[in-house]
Amino acid sequence: MVFSSHIFLFYFLPVSLAAYYLAPQRWRHLLLTLLSCVFYGWWNPWFVLLMLGSIVVDYGCGKIISAEGASQRQRKTGLLLSVTSNLSLLGFFKYCGFAVGAASDLAQALGWHAVTPPAWVTSIVLPVGISFYVFQSMSYCIDLYRRDAQPARSLIDFACYVTLYPQLVAGPIVRYASVAAQLRSREHTAPGFVLGLSRFSLGFAKKILLANPMGPLAEAAFGAHPEVLGATTAWIGVVAYAFQIYFDFSAYSDMAVGLGRMFGFHFIENFESPYRAASLTEFWRRWHISLSTFLRDYLYIPLGGNRLGPARTYVNLMTVMVLGGLWHGAQWTFVLWGALHGGLLALERWLGGKNPLASMPRPVRVAATFVLVLGTWVFFRAETAGAAADYFRALAGLSGKAETASLLVSELTTPYALFSLLVCAAVTWLAPSSCRFLERLTAWKAALCLALLVVAVVFMSTQGFNPFLYFQF
């Protein structure tokens, strides 16, 4: 079940909202937990047990860490158990096959026999959203250890925090300290509900009307044979993918924030017009904010941040970004994507005021940053490093010599395709972000959001391409 589906929009959401508001206040967290388990178990009911097991372990570890009179050794034991169990869970389901494949590649490179993965390794299925709920659950224990948060009042409160379905499978990554007070008490008002519905409607419209039309363009370009892919189609394809992944993921975050608000929760913002950034450093302050701040607070700063000299700072940046890339997926392309971002961030910091772009007008710096980001998206989207290299050759105009190349050009330059690209560009660089647009909700803004929701529902019924990209991460 995804947010942009008839089942969710016309059945699950109305039922969950009605049940929540009709239930006595003391039963609402249990009800939300059960509803979230139904939502999550729609793909595979057995994975609900896996998630609940993780919740019980981390709640118990939190009890150990926050117990009155607990020694430092006991607190460290609780923290170590939480971190080990969560990373082991993530490592098994997400990286076991990748590790075996890497070992096989290394063995072949050294002239040894290739490692044949057991059948059970190749049959491992990645649970949807495991990267998100593992980070949330683990951060609870880390914050308790640092004394940055108070322990949950009950297992039900903690389970509600981890499983809350608006942000369960694709974020934003919500830290317990940011919602602890809301789990104890929160307001439910008509203006807040209308604001939440408006935010959800905007996100739904972004997904259906902006992200989905970009998907087939990106698929056609990245799925084309190198000899068919020319410079024009390659550039259209990577720009389409940049728009697709941005509007897809930011749309989900908008819907998550809006749904949370309808249940009385205030979630953090996850995007702030990232393609308007004038540097890679600024880009990461605007893109997937919950992940970048998580990596900053739980990895970059503990590694020393920028406090141990320039060389160590560059190493820390590379380490954090490579691990951030690996978090997105167990493939070398994600590692390369993270390494490229880490290298560019380190280069920006090293150049400082000597950066040749520093004296340029902001629009020039924004354009240059966007082109750099496009280059990194090639690694993110390509199936293999070799495919990424082929795509870069196409971007440089070194391929696309086949006679059928013109057919792909005509497919990606239809009036509808070009109009969709133009609309995405206008929204990206001219329209305010969702949170800023709804900062002061008025009647006409709410009416516009609802109108966009209606239009998006109509379009959804005609679309055959409707994935959520970040579910795979």
Side-chain angles (χ1 to χ4, degrees):
M1 191 191 310
V2 296
F3 292 167
S4 59
S5 67
H6 289 88
I7 293 176
F8 177 83
L9 194 61
F10 296 115
Y11 298 98
F12 186 84
L13 179 57
V15 168
S16 63
L17 285 171
Y20 176 80
Y21 279 99
L22 291 173
Q25 186 171 348
R26 66 181 181 276
W27 295 109
R28 284 178 173 175
H29 287 170
L30 176 59
L31 177 64
L32 277 176
T33 302
L34 294 175
L35 287 169
S36 298
C37 287
V38 172
F39 177 85
Y40 187 73
W42 202 266
W43 290 277
N44 189 326
W46 291 108
F47 287 149
V48 174
L49 299 178
L50 184 71
M51 179 177 62
L52 293 178
S54 173
I55 289 170
V56 170
V57 169
D58 280 309
Y59 181 73
C61 291
K63 284 287 190 182
I64 296 172
I65 295 169
S66 59
E68 186 176 351
S71 66
Q72 187 64 12
R73 182 175 181 179
Q74 290 172 322
R75 299 181 76 245
K76 284 185 177 179
T77 300
L79 177 65
L80 182 62
L81 178 59
S82 171
V83 172
T84 301
S85 62
N86 280 291
L87 293 184
S88 297
L89 191 68
L90 194 60
F92 176 79
F93 282 98
K94 195 164 186 175
Y95 303 109
C96 187
F98 176 73
V100 171
S104 179
D105 292 341
L106 179 61
Q108 287 182 306
L110 296 175
W112 303 340
H113 290 292
V115 178
T116 303
W120 63 267
V121 171
T122 57
S123 63
I124 293 175
V125 178
L126 178 66
V128 173
I130 189 172
S131 299
F132 289 92
Y133 76 70
V134 160
F135 269 25
Q136 282 200 184
S137 191
M138 182 171 62
S139 70
Y140 167 74
C141 290
I142 297 174
D143 286 348
L144 286 181
Y145 182 81
R146 293 177 171 180
R147 305 187 193 281
D148 290 337
Q150 296 296 317
R153 292 182 305 176
S154 66
L155 177 60
I156 295 300
D157 277 9
F158 182 64
C160 179
Y161 152 69
V162 176
T163 64
L164 199 58
Y165 77 78
Q167 47 79 55
L168 173 61
V169 295
I173 300 170
V174 178
R175 301 191 207 178
Y176 182 78
S178 69
V179 295
Q182 299 169 49
L183 286 167
R184 290 190 293 271
S185 176
R186 58 187 179 277
E187 288 186 338
H188 301 85
T189 65
F193 188 92
V194 172
L195 179 60
L197 179 59
S198 300
R199 186 67 181 271
F200 175 85
S201 301
L202 268 186
F204 192 93
K206 283 168 64 175
K207 165 63 179 167
I208 300 299
L209 303 178
L210 299 178
N212 283 3
M214 295 295 99
L217 302 182
E219 288 282 341
F222 280 91
H225 190 277
E227 287 302 311
V228 176
L229 188 65
T232 300
T233 47
W235 280 103
I236 290 176
V238 73
V239 169
Y241 182 70
F243 287 149
Q244 181 194 11
I245 196 169
Y246 168 53
F247 286 119
D248 187 282
F249 192 22
S250 66
Y252 191 97
S253 294
D254 283 341
M255 287 187 275
V257 171
L259 288 168
R261 193 63 183 269
M262 284 190 265
F263 290 109
F265 290 95
H266 295 250
F267 296 154
I268 62 170
E269 296 297 334
N270 212 21
F271 288 88
E272 183 54 52
S273 302
Y275 292 151
R276 298 182 191 181
S279 67
L280 262 297
T281 302
E282 184 184 352
F283 173 81
W284 278 104
R285 294 194 189 109
R286 293 167 171 261
W287 177 276
H288 202 345
I289 298 168
S290 64
L291 175 63
S292 58
T293 53
F294 184 99
L295 294 175
R296 180 197 66 196
D297 294 345
Y298 296 116
L299 189 57
Y300 180 68
I301 292 176
L303 286 173
N306 58 0
R307 305 186 305 274
L308 303 177
R312 181 62 180 272
T313 299
Y314 307 147
V315 171
N316 291 342
L317 284 171
M318 285 293 297
T319 301
V320 168
M321 294 310 300
V322 167
L323 291 176
L326 197 57
W327 176 86
H328 282 86
Q331 292 179 211
W332 287 114
T333 50
F334 291 119
V335 174
L336 292 171
W337 173 80
L340 185 55
H341 269 283
L344 290 171
L345 288 170
L347 179 62
E348 279 189 354
R349 184 176 287 270
W350 178 69
L351 288 173
K354 298 178 182 178
N355 190 329
L357 292 173
S359 59
M360 297 290 185
R362 183 173 178 86
V364 175
R365 288 183 283 131
V366 169
T369 302
F370 182 64
V371 171
L372 288 176
V373 171
L374 289 180
T376 64
W377 282 140
V378 172
F379 285 106
F380 200 86
R381 177 59 179 80
E383 295 293 332
T384 64
D390 289 336
Y391 204 94
F392 279 115
R393 279 193 287 270
L395 289 172
L398 301 178
S399 62
K401 308 301 182 183
E403 293 181 0
T404 55
S406 58
L407 295 177
L408 185 60
V409 174
S410 62
E411 180 182 346
L412 297 184
T413 57
T414 63
Y416 177 73
L418 295 177
F419 176 75
S420 298
L421 285 165
L422 184 61
V423 171
C424 287
V427 173
T428 297
W429 286 291
L430 299 179
S433 63
S434 299
C435 63
R436 294 190 182 277
F437 177 71
L438 295 176
E439 195 169 18
R440 294 184 61 185
L441 184 63
T442 61
W444 76 265
K445 287 182 179 180
L448 175 62
C449 292
L450 289 177
L452 287 172
L453 176 63
V454 172
V455 172
V457 169
V458 173
F459 270 78
M460 180 178 66
S461 63
T462 67
Q463 291 178 344
F465 184 89
N466 190 27
F468 259 124
L469 297 186
Y470 256 76
F471 276 13
Q472 63 185 295
F473 307 131

